[in-house]
């Protein structure tokens, strides 16, 4: 797996091209910073999940974890490929509604969903993934008040540690997420005693940017174990087992195993466990976010000043940074990039490459997008294209320094379509109460 979109190539001008569009032209037309999504890569990544499951385990569903990148156009494309959605807030749910999507394939997550949002979820008829007993009790009350039945799944804490950044590990015992082992029967009893709640199954999510398949296979053991305990104690059947998301992508030169390999190993274990426990094979669910959208996205920036501190380093400054991509400052995340208007220099004259630090424009020394990268000699107005930025960039973007967030275009077959407008100064002050 490369860290570039599938359609990436160099065109005859020596420019970087994605989705048949010259990225230097895109920068000119839409301005920078600019988020670019390659439709073909996005659809291909969806199909990797959907087609493997369809052929090997049809009783299954893939949910796109919309927290990775959520706007109506992207949600529509993903759902058009047959995926459902994982939403984790009223805002993501609202976006799904705006996109006119099938709400029966939406699963609502979150460790502390505000009551108002929980109510929106019940009213919309989405599946609710309950994270704790307090939420279950509230859910019962809300459903009763709305005279509706809520389909409920429990998020369990599997006690599995995945090897990834501490901030994006979620399956450890010491975690804010999930119902603990000693509370699971109490949770099941709340549901079995309620006229308004229907138990559908169990969910777990162990973390993000994971390359090891084993923890996902272990999830099957834990999920079946909990399912059995619940069945024995209350008679409730977990008809759906949700393995969460978390599969890793290549930002620099990481080599994740192909998605079908991950799915096949999990399926094998699911079949074996169902046979061992003599229970019907459950519906299985996966919730990828990053592995669907990240490789489909790139971000374009324009270089401003280039500054050399003799004997120390060269800085190249971009017109964006930590507000459009906070991952480097938050997680020390690494990215690869190229100069979109100098690709031929990059590939043909490797020796002429120089080391640069790519610095953002924000008032914070830590606003460094890339600590060190070799690129051809950088000049003012060059276009920097950063790879694999589809996930958790726009979705975690801020207005730090009151900078307007960038627009987003989808590219396909030489056509570019604006799917998100650039914020304006007016947008920035639109919520200010001017006294
Ligand atoms: N399901 C649940 C319940 C989740 O909490 C998440 C991610 C996913 C699915 C999707 O995981 P993915 O396939 O995208 O790894 N901001 C961090 C990542 C946080 C992930 C939060 N949960 C980052 O930029 O690395």
């Amino acid at each position: 797996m490369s860290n570039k979109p599938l359609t990436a190539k160099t065109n005859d001008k020596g420019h970087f091209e994605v989705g048949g569009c010259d990225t230097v032209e895109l920068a000119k037309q839409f301005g920078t910073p600019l988020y670019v999504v390659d439709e073909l890569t996005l659809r291909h990544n969806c199909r990797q999940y959907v087609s493997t499951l369809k052929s090997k385990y049809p009783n299954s569903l893939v949910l796109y974890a919309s927290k990775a990148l959520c706007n109506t156009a992207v949600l529509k494309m993903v759902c058009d490929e047959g995926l459902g959605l994982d939403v984790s807030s009223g805002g993501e749910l609202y976006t799904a509604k705006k996109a006119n999507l099938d709400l029966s394939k939406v699963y609502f997550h979150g460790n502390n969903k505000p009551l108002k949002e929980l109510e929106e979820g019940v009213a919309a008829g989405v599946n609710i993934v309950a994270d704790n007993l307090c939420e279950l009790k509230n859910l019962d009350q809300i459903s009763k008040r709305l005279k509706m039945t809520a389909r409920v799944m429990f998020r369990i804490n599997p006690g599995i540690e995945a090897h990834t950044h501490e901030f994006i590990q979620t399956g450890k015992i010491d975690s804010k997420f999930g119902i603990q082992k000693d509370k699971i029967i109490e949770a099941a009893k709340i549901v079995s005693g309620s006229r308004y709640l229907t138990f559908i199954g169990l969910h777990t999510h162990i973390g993000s940017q994971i390359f090891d398949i084993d923890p996902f296979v272990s999830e099957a053991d834990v999920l079946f174990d909990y399912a059995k305990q619940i069945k024995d104690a209350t008679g409730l059947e977990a008809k759906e087992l949700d393995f969460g998301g978390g599969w890793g992508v290549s930002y620099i030169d990481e080599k994740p195993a192909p998605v079908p390999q991950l799915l096949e190993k999990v399926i094998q274990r699911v079949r074996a466990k169902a046979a061992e426990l003599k229970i019907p094979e459950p519906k299985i669910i996966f919730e990828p976010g990053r592995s669907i959208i990240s490789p489909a996205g790139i971000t374009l920036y324009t270089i401003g000043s280039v500054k050399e501190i003799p004997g120390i380093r060269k800085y190249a400054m971009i017109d964006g940074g930590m507000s459009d991509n906070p991952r480097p400052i938050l997680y020390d995340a690494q990215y690869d990039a190229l100069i979109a208007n100098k690709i031929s220099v990059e590939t043909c004259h490797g020796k002429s490459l120089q080391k640069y630090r790519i610095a953002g424009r924000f008032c914070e020394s830590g606003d460094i997008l890339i600590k060190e990268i070799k690129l051809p000699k950088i000049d003012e107005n060059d276009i920097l294209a950063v790879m694999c930025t589809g996930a958790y960039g726009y979705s975690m973007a801020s207005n730090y320094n009151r900078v307007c967030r960038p627009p987003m275009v989808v590219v396909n077959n030489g056509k570019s379509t604006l799917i998100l407008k650039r914020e304006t100064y007016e947008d920035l002050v639109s919520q200010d109460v001017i006294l």
Side-chain angles (χ1 to χ4, degrees), residues 204-270:
T204 180
H205 171 79
I206 50 176
S208 201
Q209 186 62 351
I210 299 167
F211 294 100
D212 188 1
I213 295 180
D214 292 346
F216 290 94
V217 174
S218 307
E219 278 185 78
D221 296 344
V222 180
L223 286 167
F224 273 96
D225 176 40
Y226 275 75
K228 183 166 182 334
Q229 284 182 42
I230 291 173
K231 174 91 203 284
D232 291 349
T234 61
L236 293 177
E237 264 180 68
K239 296 203 170 97
E240 303 186 5
L241 296 184
D242 183 336
F243 288 80
W247 195 235
V249 298
S250 178
Y251 283 102
I252 306 286
D253 55 6
E254 302 90 328
K255 299 209 164 29
V259 163
Q261 205 169 311
L262 162 75
L263 298 178
E264 280 162 24
K265 290 246 166 80
V266 174
I267 290 169
Q268 242 176 28
R269 182 62 67 97
V270 167

Side-chain angles (χ1 to χ4, degrees), residues 180-375:
Q180 313 100 270
K181 203 170 183 166
D182 59 335
K183 295 281 184 230
I184 206 76
I185 300 303
E186 201 179 327
K189 284 187 177 154
I190 296 177
V191 176
S192 66
S194 164
R195 283 174 50 201
Y196 301 95
L197 306 180
T198 307
F199 181 66
I200 55 170
L202 298 172
H203 166 273
T204 180
H205 171 79
I206 50 176
S208 201
Q209 186 62 351
I210 299 167
F211 294 100
D212 188 1
I213 295 180
D214 292 346
F216 290 94
V217 174
S218 307
E219 278 185 78
D221 296 344
V222 180
L223 286 167
F224 273 96
D225 176 40
Y226 275 75
K228 183 166 182 334
Q229 284 182 42
I230 291 173
K231 174 91 203 284
D232 291 349
T234 61
L236 293 177
E237 264 180 68
K239 296 203 170 97
E240 303 186 5
L241 296 184
D242 183 336
F243 288 80
W247 195 235
V249 298
S250 178
Y251 283 102
I252 306 286
D253 55 6
E254 302 90 328
K255 299 209 164 29
V259 163
Q261 205 169 311
L262 162 75
L263 298 178
E264 280 162 24
K265 290 246 166 80
V266 174
I267 290 169
Q268 242 176 28
R269 182 62 67 97
V270 167
R271 292 232 150 92
K273 287 300 288 185
E276 179 194 318
L277 299 172
K278 298 191 177 55
I279 55 172
E281 287 180 358
K283 177 172 185 169
I284 59 171
I285 300 179
F286 292 88
E287 289 170 356
R290 191 191 311 267
S291 53
I292 298 274
I293 193 71
S294 219
I298 63 165
T299 310
L300 303 176
Y301 302 95
T302 303
I303 301 282
S305 108
V306 180
K307 137 172 164 178
E308 178 163 6
I309 307 176
I312 301 188
R313 74 179 81 253
K314 289 194 189 103
Y315 281 88
M317 324 275 184
I318 51 171
D319 53 356
M322 63 181 281
S323 89
D324 58 79
N325 185 354
R327 298 193 69 258
I329 200 163
L330 277 176
Y331 316 116
D332 248 338
Q334 292 187 310
Y335 285 91
D336 189 20
L338 43 84
I339 301 294
N341 50 311
K342 292 179 178 166
I343 298 284
S344 46
V345 183
E346 216 157 330
T347 48
C348 307
H349 308 288
K351 284 196 198 101
S352 63
L353 299 182
Q354 309 183 13
K355 278 188 199 161
Y356 288 96
R357 174 165 284 189
I358 308 294
R361 58 167 290 185
F362 296 88
C363 298
E364 186 115 25
S365 294
D367 175 31
I368 302 296
L369 187 67
I370 301 179
K371 283 197 178 123
E372 189 173 287
I373 183 165
K374 283 189 183 160
L375 290 168

Side-chain angles (χ1 to χ4, degrees), residues 97-123:
K97 285 197 245 171
K98 274 275 172 196
N100 235 338
L101 303 175
D102 175 359
L103 297 178
S104 70
K105 289 206 298 192
V106 172
Y107 287 64
F108 192 0
H109 294 275
N111 65 302
N112 192 27
K113 303 170 196 67
L115 285 180
K116 176 175 165 288
E117 298 186 18
L118 207 49
E119 182 163 335
E120 288 160 5
V122 175

Side-chain angles (χ1 to χ4, degrees), residues 140-156:
D140 184 43
Q141 291 301 312
I142 291 170
S143 310
K144 191 171 174 182
R145 184 154 36 80
L146 297 184
K147 298 193 179 56
M148 290 185 74
T149 321
R151 287 165 52 81
V152 189
M153 187 174 247
F154 295 167
R155 176 167 182 165
I156 59 160

